[in-house]
Each structure stands twice: as structure tokens, then as C-alpha cells.
Amino acid sequence: METTLPYGWYTDPDVLHREQERIFRPAWQYVGHTGRLPGAGSAVGKADDTQREDRGASGTARQPGYFATQVGRTPVVVTRDRDGALRAFVNVCRHRGFTIADGEQRRETLQCPYHAWTYGLDGRLRAAPRSEEEANFPQEELGLVPIAVDTWGPFVFAHAGGEPEPLAQALGSLPAQVAELGLDVDSLVFHSRWQAEIEANWKIVCENFLECYHCQVAHPGFSEVIDVSPEAYVLSADGRLTTQHGPTRTQIPTGPLPRSQFHFLWPNLEINIFPGEPNISIGPSYPLTPERTYRFLDYFFGPDVEQTWIDDLLAFDEQVGREDADLVAGVQRGVSSGALEHGVLMGRSEQLIGHFQALTAAALAD
Ligand code: FES
Ligand SMILES: [Fe+2]
């Protein structure tokens, strides 16, 4: 029988440090959506976007603006200039390291709150108070540090380490699979962000997502809707992308999507599509400490989906999320006890965990 990763890897700060360098730094990460950048007719409000409607994004008369986010541990700011150019920078002031941008703003410039150095949305340092008193102040060299940014539909990805492969290559067959299901991501409207801190190592959180062996036992509501039996529930792996397909048990769906798709893009991104009306949720899990993980999911729906359908789906998904949070916390208590060296994997039902663990181990190997 295949074994799990050593349980020490779920608690060891040195392993986490290696993971940050070897796994998260060289990966494209989902950081937010284009609706957070002002477009014609958008209503940009307060920085906290939980449960906030945001229907901007698709205008032609661009307005400048930015939103703050992070890529792994790196604070990042994504900007859109008046010319429509999308850019991303390390959100750290070149003066003495303050994180400059916060939330989302409709502004022409980024101004550091510490000593008021001011940067353009193209990253150039425009002004630094008293810089004229400095002999040879190297203003041209003190712009924000750029990082790679790209989009898939409304979804913005950034990459904070070295020379990235093209985003389209990193996404693999994901966009094609989503399109094949009948979901046009460009037509979707952002609805809200769900976020949580989970009491478990990030790998335990991901591994929980990668098998539905526990669904019948732990998610009675989910299993009523999705057929999770081994005959019906299909698992597949395609490079760094793994996918779970479950048909619906009942004829609930009024809507164009005939079945679910649950994707996972290694190392840490999940994408959920439920049957019925146009919907998707997308978001990463990030390690905060070896035993604590931050997760968020951005929910998008078709523009004409009724609020009651959305409310039902969110309530249903939150229930599943609570059930999973308890499960992974229970695993963390067990593995961090030090009582056992490792566990075992069920060859068929947990094959995607085997895939995840092989990619993870390969990235950490010398
Ligand atoms: S740290 Fe940003 S202006 Fe001083
Ligand atoms: Fe689950």
C-alpha cells in the first residue's frame, strides 16, 4: 500500500521554509479578479470585499486603480493604468519597506503612508519628499519591483519568482475543460469572497479536497446532490491539474451545467463548479504556519442567476466547508502528536492524493 508523506512534514518549520522556496515561489497564484480594478460603471467601495457585489470590469473607458493582494508571503499590488495595461508589483516601498497599498482604490498613484514616496501605476517613483536635497538621488532606479501578471477570463494570476512559464501553459487543460462543460468564464460576475483560517497544515487542507472517499461519511448533504459512489465519481490527473467529476443524483439543476467539476491545480488552487446555473468558485490555500492555513474562495455567478439559487449554493457550500474544517483539524491533531510515522492511501479512491504527494515530494527533493 502507498504511504502518506511522513507526518513530520505536516509540523516541521524547516519543511515549510523549503515549501515556500521550492513550491510557492515558483508558482502562478490566483490573486483576485479584474472586477477589483475599476472599469466603466463599476462601483468600487470599501476594501473589505466579503459578500460585496462588484460588477465592474468590462468597460472600455478605463479608469486607473489598483488592489492589494499577496502571492504566498509576498505582498503584491495589481494595477491598471489609464491605458488599460494590467501590471503587478511587489507591494513593498523601496524606501524602508512599508507595505504601500491596502484594499482597492481608484487612483492614479500609489503613495506610501510612511514618508509619502509616490509611485505611478506603472511602478515608477514619481516623487520623494526632500529628494532634491540628496546628491544624485537615483529616482529612476527606485521604482516598485515588477512581477509577472496575467489573466484567464476575469481571474488574475501573479507570479513572484524568477522567469515564469506562460500562464496558459501552467493552467494546462483547465480552461478547455471548463469551456467544454458549457461555462463561459468571461460572462461571470463576481459575487463574494469567503475566507477562513484553518487549524491544519496546508497539505492536509489540499489532501482533504483531493478525495471524496470521506464524502459519504462526512458530507451527507453533498452526497445527496452529487453521486459520490466509486462507479460514478471520476478522478483524473493531467500534469499539475487533477479533476473530480460527479454527476448529479437528482434532477435539481435548472440551468445549463449538467454536472460538477472540482479541479485542483498543484500546488494549492481549487476550482469548484456545481451543476445548474453558471457558477464557479476559485481560490488558494496558503500556509500561515506549519499548522495553520489561510484559505479564500471567490464566488462568481452568471449575470442572470437568481439570488435564491445563489443563497442556496452558498449555504450548501459553507456547510461542506465547516465539515471539512473539522476533519482537517482532527487530522492535524493526530499527525502532530508524533505517535505515528505516516499513514496509508487507498489506491483508487485516494489516487489524487498520491499524485499531489508525488509532485510535492519531487519539488522538495535535492
Ligand atoms: S517607507 Fe515608504 S516612504 Fe518611507
Ligand atoms: Fe470534504
Side-chain angles (χ1 to χ4, degrees):
M1 231 178 160
E2 192 177 354
T3 61
T4 65
L5 296 175
Y7 282 170
W9 290 22
Y10 299 94
T11 57
D12 186 344
D14 292 337
V15 171
L16 177 56
H17 184 73
R18 255 168 117 78
E19 289 168 345
Q20 297 281 17
E21 294 305 312
R22 303 278 193 92
I23 294 177
F24 292 102
R25 189 182 292 281
W28 281 100
Q29 295 284 314
Y30 173 75
V31 295
H33 57 97
T34 51
R36 297 192 68 190
L37 294 163
S42 74
V44 172
K46 58 194 172 70
D48 177 6
D49 57 0
T50 304
Q51 303 298 320
R52 182 177 55 76
E53 296 273 330
D54 183 350
R55 290 169 184 264
S58 58
T60 44
R62 301 283 189 202
Q63 292 199 330
Y66 62 80
F67 70 86
T69 182
Q70 65 181 75
V71 175
R73 288 178 305 175
T74 307
V76 164
V77 58
V78 177
T79 72
R80 184 154 61 196
D81 221 335
R82 205 169 270 289
D83 61 5
L86 187 71
R87 298 186 180 90
F89 303 95
V90 175
N91 183 19
V92 176
C93 185
R94 294 296 307 279
H95 176 216
R96 285 197 13 244
F98 200 90
T99 49
I100 303 166
D102 192 25
E104 57 194 66
Q105 299 286 333
R106 186 189 291 207
R107 287 186 51 157
E108 296 267 4
T109 57
L110 288 143
Q111 189 174 60
C112 180
Y114 202 170
H115 311 92
W117 283 27
T118 302
Y119 303 87
L121 296 176
D122 58 1
R124 280 208 296 246
L125 178 61
R126 286 207 190 163
R130 304 186 202 173
S131 58
E132 65 284 357
E133 296 172 6
E134 299 292 309
N136 306 318
F137 182 71
Q139 185 160 344
E140 294 301 314
E141 293 161 28
L142 290 173
L144 296 175
V145 175
I147 65 168
V149 65
D150 204 350
T151 56
W152 162 40
F155 313 128
V156 181
F157 291 76
H159 188 294
E163 290 284 296
E165 65 183 325
L167 175 65
Q169 190 175 316
L171 294 176
S173 60
L174 176 60
Q177 289 195 49
V178 171
E180 185 271 323
L181 185 66
L183 186 62
D184 171 15
V185 294
D186 286 308
S187 72
L188 297 173
V189 176
F190 173 72
H191 180 271
S192 56
R193 176 172 291 187
W194 170 89
Q195 52 192 339
E197 289 190 15
I198 311 282
E199 300 292 333
N201 181 274
W202 72 276
K203 298 187 293 298
I204 293 175
V205 174
C206 296
E207 289 163 3
N208 168 263
F209 181 80
L210 286 169
E211 51 91 0
C212 213
Y213 181 40
H214 72 277
C215 293
Q216 202 88 59
V217 184
H219 300 312
F222 180 87
S223 306
E224 256 173 46
V225 177
I226 308 287
D227 188 346
V228 297
S229 64
E231 307 74 48
Y233 198 77
V234 181
L235 309 177
S236 62
D238 179 15
R240 278 164 287 184
L241 183 71
T242 51
T243 299
Q244 305 171 66
H245 290 259
T248 48
R249 275 198 199 278
T250 52
Q251 280 316 313
I252 358 140
T254 50
L257 304 181
R259 61 180 188 281
S260 58
Q261 277 187 359
F262 306 117
H263 300 282
F264 181 84
L265 187 64
W266 187 86
N268 65 336
L269 181 67
E270 67 175 81
I271 301 104
N272 306 292
I273 303 169
F274 286 95
E277 301 293 345
N279 75 93
I280 200 167
S281 60
I282 179 169
S285 298
Y286 281 123
L288 295 173
T289 71
E291 306 198 34
R292 207 167 164 76
T293 298
Y294 169 70
R295 284 184 66 195
F296 73 82
L297 278 176
D298 282 350
Y299 286 84
F300 300 79
F301 296 93
D304 305 320
V305 181
E306 293 198 1
Q307 193 60 41
T308 50
W309 195 91
I310 294 174
D311 291 343
D312 286 352
L313 185 130
L314 294 177
F316 167 85
D317 213 23
E318 264 172 33
Q319 173 66 26
V320 175
R322 275 192 296 273
E323 290 161 354
D324 280 328
D326 288 345
L327 294 172
V328 298
V331 172
Q332 187 67 39
R333 285 194 296 277
V335 303
S336 61
S337 69
L340 300 179
E341 298 280 313
H342 59 75
V344 295
L345 295 176
M346 302 299 278
R348 178 172 159 192
S349 297
E350 295 177 316
Q351 58 183 278
L352 300 188
I353 297 183
H355 188 80
F356 170 87
Q357 296 194 343
L359 289 169
T360 302
L364 298 180
D366 286 318

